[in-house]
Amino acid sequence: MSYALFVDDVQVSRALPTQNDVWHYADDAGLVVDALIEDETGKPERVLEQGYSIRQADPDHADPDQAEPEEAKPLPGLEKPKRVA
């Protein structure tokens, strides 16, 4: 089973092997932010930008030549952040 990044109901990233890989992909693209709602530890929760979600990928978007990508590429048109906190 593979996972991908979605905006509303549209898959906007390639399929990746795990949800954790998609979180890293989204973080590298600058799509992971600190939420204003704090968890029980008092620290802000890391969430995806509004409208984005991680779901099971559409098999039609899977890359047949690369079963397990080594590194996720940023979404087209988005710059990679200079530093991730």
Side-chain angles (χ1 to χ4, degrees):
M1 179 182 326
S2 58
Y3 297 89
L5 190 63
F6 287 77
V7 174
D8 299 319
D9 291 326
V10 179
Q11 184 173 329
V12 295
S13 74
R14 60 190 169 123
L16 297 168
T18 67
Q19 289 182 353
N20 193 41
D21 290 334
V22 181
W23 274 102
H24 285 289
Y25 180 93
D27 196 25
D28 287 346
L31 298 172
V32 179
V33 297
D34 292 330
L36 298 177
I37 301 171
E38 297 182 355
D39 64 12
E40 57 276 351
T41 65
K43 297 179 182 177
E45 184 179 348
R46 304 280 288 171
V47 297
L48 292 170
E49 285 278 357
Q50 185 175 356
Y52 288 86
S53 62
I54 296 173
R55 300 187 218 164
Q56 188 173 349
D58 180 356
D60 295 335
H61 283 80
D63 185 354
D65 296 329
Q66 191 173 9
E68 291 192 30
E70 293 179 16
E71 183 177 338
K73 296 179 183 174
L75 295 172
L78 295 176
E79 294 183 26
K80 186 174 181 180
K82 293 181 172 92
R83 180 172 174 235
V84 177

